[in-house]
Amino acid sequence: VQLQASGGGLVQPGGSLRLSCAASRSISKFEKMGWYRQAPGNQRELVAGITFGGSTNYADSVKGRFAISRDNAKNTVHLQMSSLKLEDSAVYYCNIRGTGVRWEYEAGYWGQGTQVTVSS
């Protein structure tokens, strides 16, 4: 499967961005999708994940500010980011993996990454 991410860019602190990720095939009910990010010098970390049925996981640092959603009919997943902070700056990656694969693992398929820069 190929994942095409879009929607990154430059935004001021407190602003909003919406990332989208489109998969090249239908998403199985046995798969979950997520967004990860990697800032320079840091390991890639889970930002938010969502199962086929809509159950979500969020990193503590983004709870209440970010919202993940998916459209199974369109094979897409979105990440609505609000109240952005300087520390949210990173390359954001879309991911798809089996439902039983832990989010902590570097696993599944990855999109090409999209840069999010929060700066005044």
Side-chain angles (χ1 to χ4, degrees):
V1 59
Q2 292 184 329
L3 302 173
Q4 182 67 43
S6 61
L10 174 64
V11 63
Q12 292 186 338
S16 299
L17 277 177
R18 186 175 189 245
L19 305 183
S20 296
C21 175
S24 59
R25 60 158 173 79
S26 297
I27 306 303
S28 162
K29 64 180 180 180
F30 301 111
E31 294 174 311
K32 59 187 181 184
M33 299 185 75
W35 286 97
Y36 289 72
R37 67 186 179 188
Q38 186 170 23
N42 291 353
Q43 289 188 332
R44 186 154 54 184
E45 62 175 359
L46 175 70
V47 176
I50 187 167
T51 66
F52 187 90
S55 297
T56 56
N57 269 49
Y58 292 96
D60 287 343
S61 60
V62 306
K63 285 180 180 177
R65 300 188 297 121
F66 290 11
I68 189 170
S69 61
R70 64 189 286 174
D71 185 334
N72 293 327
K74 296 183 179 180
N75 308 319
T76 58
V77 63
H78 305 286
L79 185 68
Q80 180 66 46
M81 305 185 293
S82 303
S83 302
L84 283 160
K85 303 177 180 179
L86 297 176
E87 53 264 39
D88 293 319
S89 296
V91 177
Y92 284 69
Y93 297 91
C94 178
N95 174 264
I96 184 171
R97 62 183 60 202
T99 299
V101 180
R102 296 176 63 90
W103 292 115
E104 293 84 352
Y105 297 161
E106 280 283 318
Y109 297 90
W110 298 89
Q112 83 281 11
T114 185
Q115 177 71 46
V116 172
T117 302
V118 184
S119 175
S120 55

